[in-house]
Amino acid sequence: MVTTDAADASFASERLVMHVRDCSPEEIRIPFAVGQDRSRTWVVSRTAAGLRLKHDHRHEDGTTDVLHWYGGDTVNAGAAERQEFAVDADSIALFNANDAAVSTTNVWAMEIHPERMFAYELRRPNRHFRVEFDLAKPIVD
């Protein structure tokens, strides 16, 4: 895991697990657990121009978090192995309305090297968060 923000330090001490679930030709849902916290799901869907990434954040009781359904769209074709998603206008408005203006320049990325590695990344000025998952070692509970 790469991180440049002290706020991400708690992630480093937790078990990080992603699980590709609910795949259809139009949408993929990827729950992301941080220790026992299962509040996050990455949702990747097709658009007319490319791909969209949204973050589904929920409380333990299933209700949506105030910072919910933010994300962005691809701005170019990307590559089969890596796609970048620039923050969209709806997310900028959400961040500004909820004292999270620092997030208005977010760029997220997802990277996949089949049977080897999946990565999720967040970048903005003064922050780089990246977590890589070893696909060669599936978790069996």
Side-chain angles (χ1 to χ4, degrees), residues 72-90:
D73 294 346
T74 53
V75 293
N76 58 44
E81 298 84 16
R82 182 177 172 87
Q83 294 289 321
E84 294 187 356
F85 307 85
V87 66
D88 61 30
D90 290 339

Side-chain angles (χ1 to χ4, degrees), residues 42-61:
W42 302 315
V43 181
V44 180
S45 58
R46 291 186 189 272
T47 67
L51 297 174
R52 174 171 293 144
L53 169 65
K54 290 293 185 171
H55 295 76
D56 181 349
H57 280 242
R58 296 183 180 268
H59 297 285
E60 196 170 330
D61 66 1

Side-chain angles (χ1 to χ4, degrees), residues 55-116:
H55 295 76
D56 181 349
H57 280 242
R58 296 183 180 268
H59 297 285
E60 196 170 330
D61 66 1
T63 59
T64 57
D65 189 87
V66 67
L67 291 177
H68 169 76
W69 213 243
Y70 60 86
D73 294 346
T74 53
V75 293
N76 58 44
E81 298 84 16
R82 182 177 172 87
Q83 294 289 321
E84 294 187 356
F85 307 85
V87 66
D88 61 30
D90 290 339
S91 300
I92 291 171
L94 176 70
F95 293 143
N96 283 330
N98 289 283
D99 197 30
V102 68
S103 298
T104 60
T105 59
N106 283 0
V107 176
W108 297 273
M110 288 186 163
E111 193 172 316
I112 183 129
H113 300 276
E115 299 181 30
R116 212 175 42 139

Side-chain angles (χ1 to χ4, degrees), residues 8-29:
D8 297 326
S10 63
F11 278 60
S13 64
E14 296 287 347
R15 182 178 184 212
L16 305 177
V17 177
M18 54 79 71
H19 177 176
V20 178
R21 178 183 285 183
D22 301 329
C23 297
S24 77
E26 299 305 317
E27 181 180 275
I28 299 171
R29 298 183 72 80

